[in-house]
Amino acid sequence: MYFAALLARTEDGWEASDTELDDVETLSDLADLAREAAPEDDTVLVLIEQEDAWFGVVRIDGEEDPRIYVSDAAAAARSSYGEILLTDELLGREPGDDDPDLDALDLDGTEDGEDGDEDDDPTAEAGVSGEIVPHGPVGDAQVLDDLGVSEKQLKSLSEDAVTEIAESLGASEVLETVR
C-alpha cells in the first residue's frame, strides 16, 4: 500500500495535501505537481511511502532541480512510483544509457549455459525495467538537514518514516489531516 503527500512550507507553517500519483509518469511531472502546491517559490516536500518496503523524499525549492532521497533503491525499483524517483543521475548512470555496453559484458565461455563463477553484486537487484539497482539508500541524504532531519536520522528511519519525518518538521498534525 502506498501513501504520498505534499508538504509545502509557507510563512504560516507547513500545509499538507495528499496527492494522486496515477497521472505522474516522470520526475518532471512530479516536480510540476509539487510546484503547483506552493503558493510562491516555497519549499515543497513530496513524501512517498510503500508500507514496510521503502520511502522517498523529493524536495523542490522554487525552480531548482529536485533533490531526491530513496531509502531502498532495489525495493523502489520494483514499484512504478519508485521508478519515477530512480533517475539515471541518482543511480550514477549516464542519461539515456539503456543499451548494454558490449565491452562490459562478461563473455567468459559461460554464455552457452556452462556454469561459471557468479560475480553478481550481492548488493544489487534488477528492477521492473530489468536494470540493476543497489540495495539500500540512494540520493541526497542531507535533503532535510536544514529542516531539522539529519542524514543519520533519515538513514535510520524505516517503518512509518513519513510520520517520523513530519514529526521532526513539526508538521505531523497537518499530515494526519490528509492520511
Side-chain angles (χ1 to χ4, degrees), residues 91-170:
L91 295 173
R93 296 188 298 234
E94 290 296 319
D97 192 17
D98 294 335
D99 297 327
D101 181 3
L102 293 178
D103 293 332
L105 291 177
D106 183 19
L107 301 176
D108 62 356
T110 61
E111 61 271 9
D112 292 327
E114 300 172 26
D115 288 338
D117 292 337
E118 290 295 323
D119 290 333
D120 292 343
D121 183 354
T123 64
E125 185 171 311
V128 173
S129 64
E131 295 178 4
I132 302 297
V133 294
H135 283 280
V138 295
D140 185 353
Q142 297 174 344
V143 68
L144 301 174
D145 269 0
D146 64 323
L147 299 175
V149 181
S150 70
E151 176 178 353
K152 182 178 179 182
Q153 250 184 307
L154 191 62
K155 287 184 174 181
S156 70
L157 298 175
S158 56
E159 289 184 36
D160 218 11
V162 168
T163 300
E164 290 184 43
I165 290 169
E167 285 175 6
S168 296
L169 298 173

